[in-house]
Each structure stands twice: as C-alpha cells, then as structure tokens.
C-alpha cells in the first residue's frame, strides 16, 4: 500500500528557506498527481501546491506564488517543496498527498481530491 513520509521541516527565521521532501513507497510519483497542503492550529487544511501527472502543470496558492516551487525526482521517487522567503504565516504542519482518480486540474485545491496523506512535517517560522 502507498505510504508517504514528509521530512525537512524545522524552525527558521523569516526570510529563510526550507526544502520539504515527500518520499513514497508503493507508488511511482511519475504516474500520480502529488500535492502539498498545510494546516495551522485551529485552521482547515489549506492547499499549497500541486504537480499534475496529466500534463506536468503546477498550481500554487496565491499566498505562496513566487516563493514556493513544487518539483519531483523520479529516480528517487520523491517530490519536493522548495520554500523561499518564508513568513510567519507559513507556520503549519505540511502534508503531501496523492491525487485520487477523481482528480482533475479543475479541482486541484480541494483536499477531497487527494488521499494517502503523510504524517506531516512541522514548519515554524519566527518573526
């Protein structure tokens, strides 16, 4: 069965960078849409970025455009989220997930379009 493991989180200062990794077992990333979401305390899970398997298109939340980049390394079966110019409001637990068969580009921002969520990795950005 599919298992995802997020790593790379930590405590950083505003303006710093982090690269999150999502390693998979039980699937090949090149065949699946992969998304990143985040959830801050008391808030709903929020879309961050996605890399579509259909056309390799990427979509980003407005709050992270120009700062975050999603990518993948098929040889390592790993998807990444490069996070630059971090802000305190980026503080959250970050999750990766696999697009369901019902995924299409029009619903990329909906958590319900994804499954096999990892355990998450904590990102804390101090001011």
């Amino acid at each position: 069965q599919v298992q995802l493991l997020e790593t790379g989180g930590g405590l950083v200062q505003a303006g710093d960078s982090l690269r999150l990794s999502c390693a998979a077992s039980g699937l090949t990333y090149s065949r699946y849409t992969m998304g990143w979401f985040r959830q801050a305390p008391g808030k709903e899970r929020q879309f961050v970025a996605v890399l579509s398997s259909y056309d390799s298109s990427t979509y980003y939340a407005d709050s992270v455009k120009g700062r975050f980049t999603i990518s993948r390394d098929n040889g390592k079966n790993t998807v990444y989220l490069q996070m630059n110019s971090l802000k305190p409001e980026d503080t959250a637990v970050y999750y990766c997930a696999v697009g369901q068969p019902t995924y299409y580009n029009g619903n990329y921002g909906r958590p319900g379009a994804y499954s096999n969520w990892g355990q998450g990795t904590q990102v804390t950005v101090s001011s």
Side-chain angles (χ1 to χ4, degrees), residues 7-118:
T7 58
L11 174 62
V12 298
Q13 297 282 338
D16 286 352
S17 297
L18 284 172
R19 189 177 73 163
L20 306 184
S21 299
C22 178
S25 61
L27 87 167
T28 301
Y29 279 147
S30 63
R31 298 181 178 181
Y32 294 91
T33 290
M34 298 297 300
W36 284 97
F37 287 73
R38 65 189 183 187
Q39 188 165 22
K43 294 183 178 292
E44 296 181 357
R45 192 159 296 189
Q46 180 184 63
F47 168 76
V48 176
V50 64
L51 177 59
S52 174
S53 67
Y54 299 99
D55 56 5
S56 297
S57 60
T58 58
Y59 300 93
Y60 297 92
D62 289 341
S63 59
V64 307
K65 284 182 180 178
R67 300 188 297 120
F68 291 10
T69 303
I70 187 171
S71 62
R72 67 184 177 209
D73 185 329
N74 291 336
K76 296 182 178 180
N77 210 30
T78 301
V79 65
Y80 302 98
L81 184 68
Q82 178 66 44
M83 309 164 67
N84 297 328
S85 302
L86 284 162
K87 304 175 180 179
E89 52 263 43
D90 296 319
T91 296
V93 177
Y94 283 71
Y95 301 88
C96 61
V98 181
Q100 294 182 322
T102 54
Y103 173 89
Y104 64 100
N105 289 347
N107 69 356
Y108 64 86
R110 301 176 183 176
Y114 301 81
S115 63
N116 300 105
W117 300 88

